[in-house]
Amino acid sequence: MLSAQKERTIYLDMEEELELILEVCKEKMEAAIDHLENELVHIRAGKASTRMLDGIVVDYYGSMTPLNQVSNISTPDARSIAVQPWEKTMISPIEKAIMNANLGFNPENNGEIIRINVPPLTEERRRNLTKQVSHEGEKARISIRGARKEANEGLKKLLKEGLSEDQEKVAEAEVQEMTDNFGKKVDSLLEDKNQEILTI
């Protein structure tokens, strides 16, 4: 027979493991949403946004530095982005970095500032972008379902190790609720992005 003390210790360990499974599951689902948000930012809708240049790095005296750490980036209007380097010598490296990022932009510089005109999207380009959005959404959903599967497998393992069926059912319901909520977040992000792409 297990002593009451030992039983209590086992119970507490299970509680901790249960909490950990739910925590890890939530973190993985949050990471899937973060990743999706990041990918969607780089899918260019017709309207200019400073975030279109996120991820561009510039050779700043031999060290690769994010563009926003060597310049001010602004959107003077809905169709253009302005990049104002903090040092004039950075004009050329910044222009080169924007070209190399393959975002389909043609930066123009007047020796002081780099202007990027964001061309309006063609109908075909819009259709391709909405497909890209759906594809990114599907990848996020797959990650979320993967996190759910992993959590449920962890719960089944705990059940075998002595977790009560009630606790397992409650935890499983919690995992499903998380899955549903994060799934709704994906839908909402995709809807907003598609709206942005299709708004002329």
Side-chain angles (χ1 to χ4, degrees), residues 26-46:
K26 186 175 183 214
E27 278 170 14
K28 285 188 174 173
M29 290 184 181
E30 279 169 352
I33 295 290
D34 287 346
H35 181 74
L36 175 62
E37 284 176 331
N38 204 25
E39 290 303 312
L40 292 181
V41 163
H42 295 103
I43 297 178
R44 186 168 67 77

Side-chain angles (χ1 to χ4, degrees), residues 9-35:
T9 310
I10 289 172
Y11 177 75
L12 287 175
D13 285 349
M14 290 240 163
E15 284 286 292
E16 271 176 26
E17 277 202 46
L18 188 60
E19 285 305 309
L20 187 65
I21 288 171
L22 295 174
E23 193 54 47
V24 168
C25 178
K26 186 175 183 214
E27 278 170 14
K28 285 188 174 173
M29 290 184 181
E30 279 169 352
I33 295 290
D34 287 346
H35 181 74

